[in-house]
Amino acid sequence: MGVDVALFDRLVELSTRFQPRGRTLMLGRQGFTIQTRHRKAYDESLARHGIDARRFDFLQEDGFAETLMEKLGFGQIETMDFSDYEGAAILHDLNKKPERKLWNQFDFIFDGGTVEHVFNVPMALEGLYRMLKPGGRLVSANGLNGWYGHGMYQFNPELVWTFWRRACNCNVIDCRAVPVDPDDEFGQVEFRDPAETGVRLKLKNQIGPGRTYLYYEVEKTKESHLPDFALQSDYETRWNGHENAGATHLETETRT
């Protein structure tokens, strides 16, 4: 994918409250061009978030997004890809564990639609965790709905809360549906943790049939860790306290 107007707006918003101090990694060499139909929305986003710039300030001649990321304050971008066909500096197959020299190296990782093209998603997510430094943040935007035939998967917000929050003990700062078309009648929808209610998220009539991102932002902390297991939120809530269920992340001190 590339950075479209919807992701541009999310990155602009992010830049107002997070500036990485160390290395920044972009998965795949993402493109950035101005979508003519939504050209005014770029400047409106910048103005709304108090950034004194115009949309054309973020373009680069070859159509890629390094200038955009750097001018928004995300640092000098390093690009990771399976191949160097688009000039990636770090070559790595996300289906495999990253080399140790990449562990705990990055203060910011941007996944603008790469993980959905990776077959071994659990390994890819664990790899991203390993590469993040404590205090570092991952921003991900992959298909939630409407991306039929685009990648190998579309994702559910349950994955964010199950894997990143409870299994890895990371902070989930943002988790939402973001329509690709800013004029989509459904708009953006923020998702809460299903474990808070023990009931699965009800997405019917909240997200539309058009292309929609699952956009999320997570922070790795000093208390974060890779999981021994991951359990879906509503099941974990129901199983907690039952001896025949095994361990859950919601364990009470005394089983009832």
Side-chain angles (χ1 to χ4, degrees):
M1 292 186 191
V3 178
D4 57 18
V5 66
L7 295 186
F8 177 85
D9 180 68
R10 298 314 307 157
L11 288 170
V12 169
E13 188 278 331
L14 176 65
S15 74
T16 65
R17 55 183 174 80
F18 176 69
Q19 299 282 311
R21 296 181 179 180
R23 298 174 70 184
T24 295
L25 181 68
M26 181 163 55
L27 303 185
R29 198 172 180 206
Q30 302 294 320
F32 176 64
T33 57
I34 302 297
Q35 295 171 271
T36 304
R37 176 187 171 194
H38 301 298
R39 59 189 180 277
K40 293 182 180 179
Y42 295 87
D43 290 332
E44 290 170 354
S45 175
L46 292 165
R48 183 166 60 253
H49 297 294
I51 296 178
D52 184 16
R54 298 297 300 277
R55 60 187 183 271
F56 300 112
D57 298 337
F58 302 93
L59 295 174
Q60 62 188 61
E61 290 185 2
D62 59 9
F64 288 108
E66 289 87 357
T67 298
L68 166 68
M69 302 295 281
E70 291 173 18
K71 287 195 173 184
L72 285 178
F74 297 127
Q76 187 171 352
I77 307 303
E78 300 175 64
T79 302
M80 171 180 286
D81 211 332
F82 181 84
S83 166
D84 65 356
Y85 82 110
E86 286 185 323
I90 302 174
L91 302 185
H92 171 62
D93 180 0
L94 287 169
N95 288 291
K96 301 176 182 179
K97 186 185 297 186
E99 298 179 70
R100 280 190 173 270
K101 66 181 181 180
L102 294 173
W103 293 16
N104 299 307
Q105 289 297 305
F106 298 99
D107 287 281
F108 179 46
I109 298 177
F110 177 61
D111 170 23
T114 294
V115 171
E116 65 192 16
H117 300 283
V118 178
F119 177 73
N120 194 339
V121 171
M123 181 60 74
L125 295 180
E126 288 186 11
L128 297 181
Y129 173 91
R130 292 179 193 276
M131 292 189 289
L132 271 180
K133 291 173 63 175
R137 298 193 188 186
L138 164 70
V139 165
S140 175
N142 284 271
L144 168 64
N145 198 34
W147 294 91
Y148 318 117
H150 179 81
M152 294 189 184
Y153 304 97
Q154 294 187 99
F155 295 109
N156 191 308
E158 175 66 46
L159 180 66
V160 180
W161 298 106
T162 290
F163 178 76
W164 290 107
R165 178 66 190 95
R166 271 177 300 285
C168 292
N169 198 35
C170 293
N171 293 328
V172 176
I173 297 169
D174 196 356
C175 181
R176 65 177 65 205
V178 177
V180 168
D181 186 346
D183 298 324
D184 189 299
E185 62 178 316
F186 287 87
Q188 298 185 16
V189 179
E190 295 187 36
F191 298 124
R192 301 289 300 275
D193 184 354
E196 294 177 359
T197 61
V199 178
R200 294 178 185 176
L201 292 171
K202 307 297 184 183
L203 304 185
K204 185 177 181 180
N205 298 325
Q206 291 195 56
I207 61 173
R211 285 189 166 188
T212 305
Y213 295 115
L214 173 62
Y215 176 92
Y216 65 87
E217 176 188 349
V218 296
E219 179 186 43
K220 181 178 177 179
T221 72
K222 292 180 180 179
E223 291 73 37
S224 299
H225 52 75
L226 282 173
D228 294 323
F229 60 90
L231 299 172
Q232 187 168 330
S233 301
D234 60 315
Y235 286 131
E236 192 164 15
T237 303
R238 296 173 193 176
W239 290 337
N240 183 36
H242 292 270
E243 290 191 21
N244 64 339
T248 76
H249 298 290
L250 304 174
E251 281 295 296
T252 55
E253 291 185 4
T254 303
R255 287 184 179 272
T256 57

